[in-house]
Amino acid sequence: MIQSLISAILEMLLSAAASAVVKFFGLENAVEIATVVIGLGFIAIGFTAYLLGH
């Protein structure tokens, strides 16, 4: 439980830092699209692993 809490906090901090860097360089749209594609890819990988019983 502590590990998931630390993971969530770290994820929020890294997301905030990444968004600050992206806004500084003005690449908001490209990064949002890439984030969506990567997120959907991870969901597909997880769903495939679940279906295959891993």
Side-chain angles (χ1 to χ4, degrees):
M1 186 164 155
I2 297 291
Q3 183 181 5
S4 63
L5 177 63
I6 292 172
S7 175
I9 292 171
L10 185 62
E11 183 180 347
M12 286 191 313
L13 290 175
L14 288 176
S15 176
S19 67
V21 169
V22 166
K23 285 182 182 179
F24 179 74
F25 289 112
L27 302 170
E28 291 116 2
N29 291 335
V31 171
E32 284 186 28
I33 292 171
T35 304
V36 168
V37 169
I38 291 170
L40 290 175
F42 284 148
I43 290 171
I45 290 169
F47 185 69
T48 304
Y50 172 75
L51 287 178
L52 296 176
H54 289 283

